[in-house]
Amino acid sequence: MSAPEPILSMRDYRLVFDTFDGIYQALDGVGFDLNPGESLGIVGETGCGKSITAKSILGLLPSPPARVLSGEILYRGQDLLKASERDFRRLRGTEIAMIFQDPMTYLNPVFTVGEQLVDAILAHQRAKPGGERMNKAAAKRHAIQMLAKVHLPNPERQFTSYPHELSGGMRQRVLIAMSLSGAPRLLIADEPTTALDVTIQAQILDLIAELIDDLNLSVLMISHDLGVVAKVCDRVIVMYAGHVVEDAPVDQLFNDPRHPYTRGLLASIPHPGRPPTSLSGIPGTLPNLYDPPRGCRFAARCPLAVPACTTAVPEKRHLSGNHLVACIRADEDLPAEAADA
Amino acid sequence: MLEIEDLKVHFPIREKWQKATVKAVNGVSLSIATGDSLGLVGESGSGKSTIGRAILRLNKVTGGDIRLKGMSVVNAGRTEEEMLRRQAQIVFQDPHSALNPRMPILRSVAEPLVLHTKVRGVELRRRVTDLLEIVGLQSQFLYRYPHELSGGQKQRVCIARALALQPELLVLDEPTSALDVSVQAQILEFLKKLQREQNLTYLFISHNLAVIRYICNRTAVMYLGQIVEEGATEQVFSAPRHPYTKVLLEAVPLPEAGQSRRTDVVIGDVPSPVNMPTGCSFHTRCAEAMAGRCDKVAPPPVALADGRRVRCHLFAD
């Protein structure tokens, strides 16, 4: 398969936070490519660095405390780590858009949905280099079109609603409409359905899937829910304590996970569609990232760990085609007692 | 062990300057046998937590009765309440806010013993050490403060505290929802083992269907203050009958390869609990709703041949 030019690629990205307690080594050598039209999932547990990765792309981390040590984030050839705040203002919304976990906190409670949408649309218009100016009436028409596109019932009426009058699912639809109103190429979705009930989540995931197809969007979907990622994404990267440990097409990741952490994670979740089998869990806790262990950050909890794991960070290597894993013992089976512990 | 009969919990509110009522729980009947674990599953606002809290007398009950080992919880006086407290305990969702940050673990876990028994001093410390051992924490945790513990460890402390008075019924209100999956797996395994060893009865409240299927032998599905389907867990999950149960199960994304990206089953939002639909409360979202019947008449619970109860007109007559 000849690889298309990736729309986004992150290379050897290292980020730390300077805090009173010391230097928090949040991300260490994170790298991945996102191809046009692809939807890529990032999964991992609390503190693995998945949200920080997403925020880095849009330049949303305040510095200080954040400090980039190395690496580059290339969006269509442009290095975002060298971009100025002005450059970002041009990119946000019109090239790269983001939706967040809690739809309530990202809408202003004292303005109507319509006012906020029109503001966003006009701002996007101004940001577009050489874009034609839109007047308020045209922006309103566009806003109502966007609300209809995300299947908000009765968009003309909802245009004049306040956020508190909408349910959680409807608010998330409004935010999706807002983020897509500038016709971005890349959508970053940070836990977009975590705050929603399952029946509402299913509807929002349907909407995202529909928009991926209709608008030819590339999507970076961040989630702790392996089910959500399995449903929506073409490819998944698994993060642990600031490292990318596995990067694989979704079928391979779920049918043949190779990194011991990924295997532990999959063995930890009860399956809603099957009768119960015992869950293994992963013993131990996350390493202290103020003083991270040398070598593999998962080694202390890993059933396959050998002394070599603690001396050097394992290189990412290709297992087959585009299945990458950062583990020196990825080809081996887990010891039997770990499988039924 | 526990019998709930036609339980109603209504909350008065003001909406647009008018008095209104939220019917959080609206006619729920349930019973849990000793040693069973009943899963109460539903979406937010379905009233599942309200039931759990009502059992512990943390909510005022509007109508109906709750009996724990034959004793009425609703009409209990002070001495009876004290006895009930020893028999039923609750573990909440968020262990960070359920522990006093200024109390060391020893004091938090000892508190029920201090309030209800005359155990003091060395004996008290020994009892707390034993309790922590049951939940898998060593004695070095006795003098630590909550902020020094991880989320999973804090939840274990909350479980130890709930076990202090040797209750027979444990209400677990989303005990793993605030935890990461690898930690959740450990707590779930532990809860299963604990139930076997101590012959406890669980009322397990969760929005997570997979967790319910894993822990519970019976499952009750709630929608807008009512139980729409109740039966043995494997039956409910493998052959759901009520249209809402079907929708709920189809809506869950599965952690496996080869799924369709689209679900295409559910329509619309949950109606407001203040202004509930007439007839069956699910008819506004139900694909199988029958005009003239489901929107007019509330379906009574129907007992099916396999021991399930379903509240739906499709199964009447």
Side-chain angles (χ1 to χ4, degrees):
Chain A
M1 192 178 91
S2 70
E5 188 69 16
I7 184 168
L8 181 81
S9 74
M10 193 176 267
R11 306 227 173 284
D12 189 38
Y13 183 53
R14 292 182 67 207
L15 180 89
V16 297
F17 290 99
D18 295 311
T19 71
F20 289 114
D21 297 327
I23 299 171
Y24 185 84
Q25 306 191 22
L27 298 178
D28 184 36
V30 172
F32 60 87
D33 287 333
L34 172 60
N35 295 319
E38 188 180 40
S39 83
L40 174 69
I42 304 185
V43 292
E45 298 181 284
T46 316
C48 71
K50 52 192 193 302
S51 283
I52 291 171
T53 303
K55 286 185 175 159
S56 297
I57 297 166
L58 274 175
L60 295 176
L61 291 173
S63 176
R67 182 155 54 92
V68 176
L69 294 185
S70 71
E72 50 188 15
I73 303 175
L74 297 172
Y75 172 74
R76 304 177 77 214
Q78 181 187 3
D79 189 350
L80 297 180
L81 292 177
K82 297 197 179 80
S84 65
E85 191 54 31
R86 247 186 91 182
D87 297 332
F88 269 121
R89 224 168 281 161
R90 254 203 308 277
L91 287 169
R92 288 182 197 134
T94 55
E95 290 285 339
I96 310 174
M98 188 159 178
I99 51 176
F100 299 90
Q101 172 172 350
D102 180 3
M104 191 62 207
T105 40
Y106 290 91
L107 287 168
N108 189 327
V110 301
F111 292 101
T112 64
V113 163
E115 286 167 324
Q116 298 184 54
L117 254 174
V118 165
D119 269 358
I121 289 166
L122 292 176
H124 292 154
Q125 290 296 319
R126 282 195 296 274
K128 259 191 192 145
E132 83 278 34
R133 292 285 177 266
M134 213 185 236
N135 61 23
K136 270 206 164 167
K140 180 178 173 179
R141 277 197 300 279
H142 185 48
I144 290 174
Q145 265 172 25
M146 288 312 297
L147 291 178
K149 191 162 197 82
V150 297
H151 307 302
L152 197 72
N154 208 344
E156 284 87 3
R157 211 184 78 74
Q158 302 299 2
F159 186 83
T160 56
S161 300
Y162 286 90
H164 75 267
E165 298 176 273
L166 306 181
S167 67
M170 285 156 85
R171 281 179 211 141
Q172 194 58 284
R173 284 179 196 272
V174 169
L175 279 180
I176 293 174
M178 194 180 288
S179 65
L180 297 181
S181 63
R185 293 170 212 261
L186 170 61
L187 177 69
I188 301 174
D190 188 358
E191 306 259 6
T193 58
T194 305
L196 306 174
D197 277 323
V198 277
T199 60
I200 310 299
Q201 163 171 287
Q203 297 174 60
I204 296 289
L205 293 180
D206 275 6
L207 173 67
I208 291 175
E210 180 190 324
L211 294 169
I212 291 174
D213 295 342
D214 281 10
L215 306 175
N216 194 26
L217 275 176
S218 310
V219 175
L220 186 64
M221 167 84 96
I222 290 141
S223 183
H224 70 281
D225 186 335
L226 287 153
V228 168
V229 165
K231 196 168 179 67
V232 177
C233 298
D234 306 317
R235 199 155 59 84
V236 183
I237 64 178
V238 182
M239 288 186 73
Y240 179 78
H243 281 164
V244 172
V245 297
E246 189 155 2
D247 177 340
V250 70
D251 292 355
Q252 278 186 34
L253 190 91
F254 284 92
N255 290 335
D256 186 25
R258 294 319 307 177
H259 196 283
Y261 175 65
T262 316
R263 294 190 241 175
L265 205 56
L266 283 168
S268 295
I269 34 174
H271 194 293
R274 293 188 205 135
T277 48
S278 80
L279 303 175
S280 60
I282 303 173
T285 49
L286 276 174
N288 177 3
L289 292 188
Y290 287 107
D291 182 22
R294 284 175 56 204
C296 176
R297 289 184 174 179
F298 187 59
R301 301 171 75 182
C302 181
L304 287 178
V306 289
C309 295
T310 53
T311 51
V313 177
E315 290 288 320
K316 258 194 275 179
R317 57 195 177 102
H318 283 272
L319 284 180
S320 62
N322 39 10
H323 190 157
L324 286 147
V325 63
C327 176
I328 54 172
R329 302 193 67 194
D331 312 291
E332 290 165 52
D333 289 327
L334 295 183
E337 29 89 52
D340 57 29
Chain B
M1 168 68 72
L2 183 79
E3 280 170 282
I4 300 176
E5 209 181 290
D6 197 29
L7 181 71
K8 291 192 173 100
V9 182
H10 295 176
F11 297 105
I13 56 154
R14 274 169 189 278
E15 172 133 305
K16 301 207 170 114
W17 298 282
Q18 289 194 329
K19 277 188 188 164
T21 16
V22 175
K23 294 175 179 166
V25 178
N26 202 13
V28 163
S29 298
L30 263 184
S31 64
I32 312 179
T34 306
D36 262 5
S37 62
L38 176 83
L40 209 49
V41 67
E43 298 182 277
S44 36
S46 61
K48 53 193 193 304
S49 286
T50 309
I51 293 183
R53 296 175 63 91
I55 295 168
L56 276 292
R57 288 175 58 104
L58 300 171
N59 278 331
K60 270 205 179 124
V61 168
T62 313
D65 200 8
I66 302 170
R67 281 185 303 277
L68 187 66
K69 296 178 87 183
M71 196 196 310
S72 170
V73 173
V74 177
N75 303 314
R78 280 199 77 145
T79 43
E80 288 157 315
E81 182 170 354
E82 221 168 272
M83 280 166 72
L84 289 168
R85 282 272 180 273
R86 295 173 185 217
Q87 279 164 11
Q89 285 287 334
I90 186 165
V91 176
F92 294 104
Q93 171 172 356
D94 182 7
H96 317 289
S97 47
L99 292 172
N100 186 334
R102 298 180 52 165
M103 277 191 193
I105 301 308
L106 171 63
R107 260 185 77 196
S108 278
V109 178
E111 212 174 8
L113 292 166
V114 172
L115 290 173
H116 284 270
T117 67
K118 294 202 164 65
V119 179
R120 294 293 181 276
V122 184
E123 173 65 10
L124 185 68
R125 222 195 93 146
R126 195 188 59 75
R127 290 276 286 273
V128 172
T129 315
D130 289 350
L131 286 165
L132 288 182
E133 202 185 303
I134 293 175
V135 298
L137 297 174
Q138 294 91 31
S139 58
Q140 76 224 37
F141 285 95
L142 281 176
Y143 296 102
R144 295 213 185 146
Y145 284 86
H147 73 266
E148 298 174 87
L149 273 58
S150 70
Q153 288 167 342
K154 275 185 256 192
Q155 196 57 290
R156 283 173 194 266
V157 170
C158 290
I159 295 169
R161 180 175 60 184
L163 294 175
L165 296 170
Q166 296 172 310
E168 291 169 64
L169 174 73
L170 214 51
V171 176
L172 299 150
D173 190 355
E174 306 260 10
T176 60
S177 301
L179 307 175
D180 270 325
V181 286
S182 63
V183 182
Q184 164 174 290
Q186 294 165 20
I187 298 280
L188 291 179
E189 278 291 332
F190 161 69
L191 284 171
K192 240 186 172 172
K193 189 170 127 246
L194 182 75
Q195 185 182 30
R196 263 201 316 270
E197 288 173 1
Q198 315 242 347
N199 195 28
L200 287 167
T201 307
Y202 283 169
L203 176 66
F204 197 102
I205 298 163
S206 181
H207 69 280
N208 186 330
L209 288 145
V211 168
I212 294 273
R213 184 171 197 172
Y214 183 71
I215 285 276
C216 303
N217 62 340
R218 296 190 69 76
T219 299
V221 182
M222 287 196 73
Y223 186 75
L224 283 177
Q226 289 188 323
I227 290 175
V228 295
E229 178 161 358
E230 194 230 320
T233 298
E234 279 315 305
Q235 285 176 353
V236 172
F237 277 79
S238 55
R241 289 302 182 80
H242 195 283
Y244 177 64
T245 317
K246 289 183 195 166
V247 161
L248 205 56
L249 285 168
E250 275 173 71
V252 189
L254 305 176
E256 63 184 27
Q259 292 172 76
S260 146
R261 253 195 196 159
R262 306 283 291 271
T263 316
D264 288 324
V265 282
V266 247
I267 6 137
D269 265 330
V270 186
S272 150
V274 183
N275 197 359
M276 284 223 264
T278 54
C280 170
S281 50
F282 187 59
H283 84 262
T284 54
R285 304 171 79 194
C286 182
E288 297 169 72
M290 296 171 278
R293 187 152 183 213
C294 297
D295 53 348
K296 299 254 158 51
V297 189
V302 181
L304 301 185
D306 57 6
R308 254 189 275 194
R309 284 189 307 153
V310 181
R311 215 181 250 273
C312 178
H313 284 307
L314 291 171
F315 304 98
D317 30 79

